[in-house]
């Protein structure tokens, strides 16, 4: 059964999407160079690195909200 995601997990999952798609006006430039990369390339690489962290956090919010994995009294009933 598929259940609705929790709000914190949904928001964490949307952060990379918003960071890349809706902020183009902020990072669509070459200067300054960061770590030897043009700023727009650095921005995209940064989000490639941050996306797994956001999804890891969303996964843990979902895991905490799931009654089968919360460690409650029903988790050992199987």
């Amino acid at each position: 059964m598929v259940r609705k995601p929790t709000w914190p997990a949904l928001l964490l999952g949307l952060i990379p999407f918003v960071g890349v798609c809706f902020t183009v006006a902020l990072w669509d430039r070459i200067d300054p160079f960061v770590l030897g990369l043009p700023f727009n390339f650095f921005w995209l690489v940064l989000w490639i690195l941050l996306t797994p962290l956001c999804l890891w956090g969303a996964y843990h919010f979902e895991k905490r909200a799931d009654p089968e994995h919360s460690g409650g009294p029903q988790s050992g009933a199987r």
Side-chain angles (χ1 to χ4, degrees):
M1 182 175 137
V2 177
R3 59 182 184 83
K4 290 182 176 179
T6 60
W7 277 105
L10 187 63
L11 291 176
L12 275 175
L14 286 176
I15 286 173
F17 178 72
V18 171
V20 172
C21 293
F22 296 109
T23 59
V24 175
L26 298 174
W27 55 266
D28 189 22
R29 56 190 164 144
I30 294 176
D31 292 326
F33 278 71
V34 181
L35 300 175
L37 299 172
F39 186 72
N40 53 5
F41 189 61
F42 168 76
W43 185 263
L44 293 175
V45 169
L46 178 70
W47 279 109
I48 289 171
L49 297 175
L50 289 177
T51 298
L53 292 176
C54 291
L55 295 180
W56 177 78
Y59 169 75
H60 279 282
F61 275 116
E62 287 297 310
K63 188 176 174 183
R64 188 182 305 167
D66 188 4
E68 292 182 10
H69 294 99
S70 66
Q74 296 178 354
S75 64
R78 292 187 178 181

